[in-house]
Amino acid sequence: MSISDLSPLGAQGGSHVRAVHDEFHGDLLEVSMGPHHPSTHGVFRMIVTLDGETIVKLKPVFGYLHRNHEKLGENTSYLGSMPYTDRLDYLCSMTNNWAYAIAVEKLAGQPVPERAEYVRVILAEITRLLNHTCLAGFLMQDLGCSGTPLMYAFREREKILDLFESLSGSRMMCNYQRFGGCRVDPSADWLEGAKQLTDGYGQFLDEFEALLTGNEIIMARTQGTGVLSPELAVAAGVTGPMLRATGVNYDLRKTDAYGVYPRFDFRVPLGAHGDVYDRYMVRVLEMRESIKILQQALAGIPAGPIMDPKAKLRGFRPKAGEAYGRIEGPKGEIGFYLVSDGSPNPYRYRVRAPSFINLTILEDMCLGQTVADAVIILGSVDIVLGEVDR
Amino acid sequence: MIAAATTDAFLERAPVLLRDAVTGFLPEPWRTLVNALIAVGLILGIFGTLFAFITLAERKILGRVQNRPGPNRAPIPFINKRFFGLSQPFADGVKSLTKEDIVPRDADKVLHYLAPVALLAFSILTFAVIPYGRNLVPVELDAAVLYFFAAGAATELAVFMAGWASRNKYSLLAAMRALAQLISYELPLLLSWVPVVLIAGTLSTTAIVDAQAGWKFGFIPHWHVFTPWGFAGFVIFMVAALAESNRSPFDTPEAESELIAGHLTEYSGFKYALFFMAEYFGMLALSGMAITLFLGGWRSPLPFLEFIPSYLWFGGKLLALIFGFIWIRATFPRLRIDQLTRFAWKFLVPLALINLGNTIVWSLMSNSSALMQLARWPVCAAIILVPFVVLGRKLSAGVAPRIYRYA
């Protein structure tokens, strides 16, 4: 009996899976990578079956960080859930807040003032810079760089976190968006700081790319590794940079045109191979587009109220109904599905977590690759366990 | 005579004079023994200290490259001043000595214990034949180069022992990787210095250094690295040395993002420190050998700099090479094990073999007319450069920067 018979994917997982039934191959080795492994980005676990160094089976195990997020949401008031959304993807609290706010605003029919829409776009794009920069740093660390790219990525992250802290009072758990606007109005100084960050970011990216993008070893390691076909990506519901790296043109900022995104001129970079290198490059190019959006938004931000004056914060009870709000988060489509029965708490609260859904096809990408590849493939998926396990 | 004057200079002769002052009164048979013991003690002392401070230098340089200060907290005891964290290595030493030594229950206890000792022993053995300065070679051997690489090759066994004895799957994978890697890179490492032996006509390290004496036009030293075949050999040697000493970008056996710490996963306390030490000793020994074979050994690069004692020249070159190792580590990501072995077998080994033929052409052309003497430079450069480009193209086929389209 060959291993491809044993494989849960059967024949279709097959082209990469070598038959190992002859006497020249010994036993298979089952290695449990995680939940305390240096490169599983948290408490993720992969049970990997190896033939030599080649992966013939990979079973992802998660749930170590499960904390009843959705049930908590159903037992908390609408506003009470807002700080909890920070803890989902703890690198991107601003976009999590926004996606949740959009869902509730849809449910309650709450308008948002223009200035708040601009601030939301600015914060979302800064979050995208933050997330992609960190991801690039982590990915390079997984590739075996001795910390150099990560340190420079984290230098930029510090600048962004300082901005977040001066605006919301917290570096990572911002809890900033409200239904019908934002919690505080950014000062002129803050906007100037954001402008400086934006203007300096292109230079950082040039520096980062000069060291890494053209590096022979990085290209040899990542090109052709962890290939994801567009068909499988669409069938599995993969979104975000990972989907666009396979060449599928799907960016909610363009297709949904939510917020004030239609006012800005930006492009959506697409990959062609769907491998790790494409995923890395699509993110880098997306950062450059984000810089363009930020420059336009910071130049065009109007004066006015940051919060809709009619917005009701206390005793907030939307009428019975359901709503699904989604935005293009840095990791993919982050969506919140809410069912209201007219009470202060949602009847049903559901999170569509992009990293969780992007992670489901991990085995398909890893089969036939080596252990070293599995680590960078996982790194290129861009997961945050707080969001995967919820 | 400048040369004679420098040879007789006090500082140049100081180590030998000092040794003779200590052991001169002993009868002849005893004197040899005590001299050898002094050499052993000196090597252990000097390289032990060097190891301690290179670990600090590595962390400091890595820190500098990475936009952070590096370790700077450890104070000097009693006076409580920090001096840039200069006492960090001693703090590390005390820490590793006092840490609990954990041996896994299922481990092969004897092998688990023996592996770090064997690794360290073999890497110290290699120090015996390196000429550290004029008249400063611990053991004069006719086949010194052969001995050096024989002793160095035994370290592979120790790494495999460590991985096998730990009874850990990561360690086992690392042991398999280490064997594949070290055996693959042993070949280019050996082939890269054969040209030197061919030209110098000897396997003795002292004689190889002597073969690199003198200057062309009074300022270009006769080092092997300043010839086409010597430069190619030096580069191949250093790349293979990087792999042999498990340094980035060839650190697959202890790939921390994949295999936790590879063969070191189940080691703690002082055994771990021994591994660490052996790895640095291996790096120092290979750098020392590279200096001896290609960089003129302890000889100074320019005639008017000869007043600096030879052992300082050796030390300076050693530190420069170590800095290169650290710089590479700070810059490059890791190769995958199959790419790593492919790089050895399909690129370095053929290149080293071609370089061997190149050296033969070089030495054949050196015996004829002045025109041929001049012509051998472009000819030999072409002999090595053309295969370099062709093999390199083939190796990196299908790997190229990409152009991205926008929706």
Side-chain angles (χ1 to χ4, degrees):
Chain A
M1 187 193 252
S2 77
I3 279 303
S4 45
D5 297 332
L6 291 171
S7 156
L9 283 172
Q12 76 192 133
S15 66
H16 289 304
V17 182
R18 280 192 292 129
V20 287
H21 57 286
D22 56 304
E23 65 268 32
F24 295 111
H25 289 86
D27 294 339
L28 299 175
L29 185 69
E30 196 178 81
V31 182
S32 170
M33 293 177 83
H36 51 242
H37 187 277
S39 60
T40 49
H41 296 239
V43 283
F44 180 61
R45 180 175 173 210
M46 296 185 279
I47 300 176
V48 191
T49 309
L50 297 174
D51 167 26
E53 287 234 359
T54 314
I55 295 171
V56 292
K57 196 176 158 190
L58 185 145
K59 189 178 159 206
V61 182
F62 31 70
Y64 293 97
L65 209 59
H66 183 65
R67 54 200 186 283
N68 274 323
H69 178 84
E70 292 177 1
K71 196 68 193 165
L72 281 176
E74 288 160 17
N75 290 304
T76 318
S77 68
Y78 284 90
L79 186 58
S81 280
M82 184 62 86
Y84 285 125
T85 61
D86 292 337
R87 274 87 179 159
L88 280 174
D89 175 356
Y90 39 78
L91 289 176
C92 318
S93 59
M94 289 292 189
T95 47
N96 296 343
N97 286 175
W98 190 10
Y100 180 56
I102 277 196
V104 178
E105 282 154 8
K106 248 187 193 170
L107 193 64
Q110 171 71 52
V112 181
E114 202 183 357
R115 184 175 170 84
E117 290 282 17
Y118 268 81
V119 171
R120 285 179 174 185
V121 166
I122 291 168
L123 289 173
E125 294 309 316
I126 293 183
T127 305
R128 202 178 310 281
L129 290 181
L130 163 68
N131 181 72
H132 288 358
T133 308
C134 286
L135 182 270
F138 291 144
L139 181 62
M140 291 306 154
Q141 192 70 7
D142 288 344
L143 273 163
C145 291
S146 309
T148 310
L150 187 68
M151 287 295 161
Y152 283 92
F154 267 51
R155 182 188 67 185
E156 298 308 307
R157 174 179 185 254
E158 273 320 297
K159 292 180 191 166
I160 294 175
L161 291 186
D162 284 349
L163 272 183
F164 282 179
E165 187 180 13
S166 70
L167 183 64
S168 72
S170 175
R171 283 152 52 84
M172 291 168 80
M173 305 297 142
C174 296
N175 182 19
Y176 179 68
Q177 313 286 358
R178 289 291 177 266
F179 316 130
C182 305
R183 185 153 55 86
V184 282
D185 196 1
S187 63
D189 281 352
W190 190 89
L191 289 172
E192 184 53 36
K195 205 164 149 37
Q196 275 174 12
L197 175 92
T198 312
D199 293 341
Y201 221 83
Q203 200 195 345
F204 158 70
L205 281 182
D206 291 343
E207 201 180 270
F208 199 77
E209 278 207 272
L211 178 64
L212 300 167
T213 301
N215 186 305
E216 193 87 7
I217 298 178
I218 287 177
M219 288 195 291
R221 281 291 306 273
T222 56
Q223 293 191 353
T225 303
V227 175
L228 175 63
S229 69
E231 295 78 26
L232 180 62
V234 171
V238 171
T239 47
M242 223 175 126
L243 177 66
R244 291 192 287 278
T246 66
V248 179
N249 177 18
Y250 180 74
D251 187 328
L252 288 177
R253 291 176 292 176
K254 291 280 190 195
T255 48
D256 268 17
Y258 60 93
V260 285
Y261 272 116
R263 298 186 196 177
F264 303 125
D265 168 40
F266 68 99
R267 301 174 298 171
V268 179
L270 295 178
H273 304 79
D275 53 12
V276 176
Y277 189 76
D278 271 4
R279 274 170 234 151
Y280 160 73
M281 278 309 290
V282 161
R283 288 188 174 106
V284 170
L285 296 172
E286 248 177 41
M287 280 197 266
R288 294 197 186 275
E289 297 301 316
S290 288
I291 294 171
K292 270 163 64 183
I293 299 177
L294 276 170
Q295 279 163 343
Q296 295 168 52
L298 285 164
I301 184 165
I306 192 73
M307 196 67 192
D308 183 24
K310 292 196 198 95
K312 204 174 172 194
L313 279 181
R314 296 186 197 288
F316 180 74
R317 286 165 187 264
K319 56 184 183 302
E322 57 179 338
Y324 178 64
R326 59 177 187 176
I327 63 164
E328 180 71 29
K331 294 184 164 64
E333 175 185 329
I334 167 111
F336 287 82
Y337 174 62
L338 297 166
V339 180
S340 166
D341 56 358
S343 67
N345 304 345
Y347 174 75
R348 178 79 178 99
Y349 169 95
R350 153 100 190 135
V351 186
R352 185 211 187 273
S355 13
F356 172 66
I357 291 165
N358 291 356
L359 194 57
T360 50
I361 41 155
L362 185 65
E363 182 177 25
D364 300 75
M365 290 191 287
C366 288
L367 285 183
Q369 311 272 358
T370 63
V371 191
D373 289 335
V375 167
I376 59 168
I377 292 169
L378 179 68
S380 73
V381 173
D382 189 6
I383 56 164
V384 161
L385 264 298
E387 188 179 71
V388 174
D389 291 345
R390 298 198 291 288
Chain B
M1 288 301 288
I2 303 172
T6 50
T7 317
D8 293 340
F10 173 71
L11 276 177
E12 186 67 56
R13 289 186 300 137
V16 179
L17 285 179
L18 203 63
R19 185 196 67 189
D20 289 345
V22 173
T23 63
F25 65 92
L26 289 167
E28 183 58 37
W30 283 97
R31 200 189 299 166
T32 325
L33 182 69
V34 176
N35 281 353
L37 283 178
I38 288 176
V40 169
L42 271 180
I43 287 177
L44 286 183
I46 290 176
F47 279 97
T49 322
L50 205 56
F51 152 71
F53 283 102
I54 285 175
T55 54
L56 178 67
E58 167 144 32
R59 294 168 67 182
K60 281 280 189 192
I61 294 169
L62 270 183
R64 191 75 200 92
V65 172
Q66 294 171 359
N67 195 29
R68 59 190 173 87
N72 61 357
R73 297 281 119 180
I76 311 271
F78 307 118
I79 53 172
N80 229 6
K81 285 216 163 62
R82 279 187 186 145
F83 289 120
F84 323 106
L86 219 54
S87 64
Q88 183 70 40
F90 304 105
D92 287 342
V94 171
K95 184 194 78 173
S96 62
L97 271 172
T98 50
K99 265 183 127 171
E100 186 186 356
D101 174 33
I102 300 164
V103 182
R105 200 188 324 137
D106 289 338
D108 186 329
K109 302 220 166 35
V110 179
L111 279 185
H112 190 266
Y113 180 82
L114 223 55
V117 180
L119 188 62
L120 192 66
F122 285 127
S123 38
I124 289 175
L125 278 183
T126 53
F127 284 128
V129 290
I130 298 172
Y132 300 102
R134 206 187 298 268
N135 303 323
L136 287 183
V137 53
V139 182
E140 269 286 0
L141 275 184
D142 285 341
V145 182
L146 215 55
Y147 162 84
F148 178 91
F149 289 101
T155 54
E156 290 154 27
L157 199 66
V159 171
F160 187 73
M161 266 161 72
W164 179 258
S166 294
R167 262 307 169 96
N168 178 309
K169 286 169 182 172
Y170 295 116
S171 302
L172 185 66
L173 278 174
M176 298 195 305
R177 281 184 180 188
L179 269 196
Q181 169 176 344
L182 295 177
I183 289 174
S184 300
Y185 279 84
E186 201 68 34
L187 205 58
L189 188 73
L190 297 185
L191 284 173
S192 65
W193 56 259
V194 174
V196 175
V197 176
L198 206 71
I199 292 287
T202 172
L203 276 168
S204 152
T205 43
T206 327
I208 288 174
V209 174
D210 285 340
Q212 302 179 67
W215 289 270
K216 188 170 267 174
F217 314 124
F219 69 95
I220 302 174
H222 275 158
W223 298 356
H224 291 138
V225 74
F226 292 117
T227 55
W229 60 268
F231 184 73
F234 176 66
V235 172
I236 296 170
F237 187 94
M238 287 317 283
V239 172
L242 265 179
E244 284 285 306
S245 48
N246 282 342
R247 296 279 300 184
S248 172
F250 303 107
D251 54 346
T252 45
E254 47 174 296
E256 49 118 33
S257 61
E258 301 145 24
L259 302 181
I260 320 284
H263 57 284
L264 307 177
T265 308
E266 296 291 1
Y267 281 92
S268 58
F270 203 62
K271 282 186 198 157
Y272 180 82
L274 284 184
F275 268 107
F276 210 57
M277 195 188 240
E279 232 150 72
Y280 277 83
F281 277 1
M283 194 164 79
L284 285 168
L286 281 167
S287 303
M289 199 32 113
I291 292 166
T292 307
L293 290 170
F294 297 102
L295 297 178
W298 41 262
R299 295 189 178 278
S300 74
L302 290 167
F304 63 86
L305 289 174
E306 275 211 305
F307 67 93
I308 299 171
S310 55
Y311 43 88
L312 288 188
W313 274 119
F314 182 86
K317 289 175 188 175
L318 191 65
L319 292 182
L321 284 187
I322 296 291
F323 176 72
F325 276 100
I326 297 171
W327 192 0
I328 287 173
R329 175 173 171 202
T331 316
F332 281 113
R334 186 185 309 121
L335 278 165
R336 208 169 56 210
I337 183 73
D338 59 317
Q339 292 167 339
L340 190 126
T341 42
R342 200 183 307 137
F343 181 64
W345 291 105
K346 292 192 172 175
F347 187 74
L348 286 181
V349 171
L351 217 56
L353 282 172
I354 290 166
N355 197 31
L356 191 56
N358 192 13
T359 319
I360 296 168
V361 173
W362 175 271
S363 68
L364 284 180
M365 286 169 91
S366 67
N367 294 331
S368 33
S369 65
L371 190 68
M372 288 285 269
Q373 291 265 3
L374 211 66
R376 65 182 182 163
W377 281 88
V379 168
C380 286
I383 288 177
I384 195 69
L385 273 177
V386 172
F388 173 79
V389 173
V390 172
L391 286 172
R393 284 263 169 86
K394 252 180 114 176
L395 193 72
S396 58
V399 167
R402 293 174 181 164
I403 312 269
Y404 285 84
R405 69 196 168 91
Y406 292 87

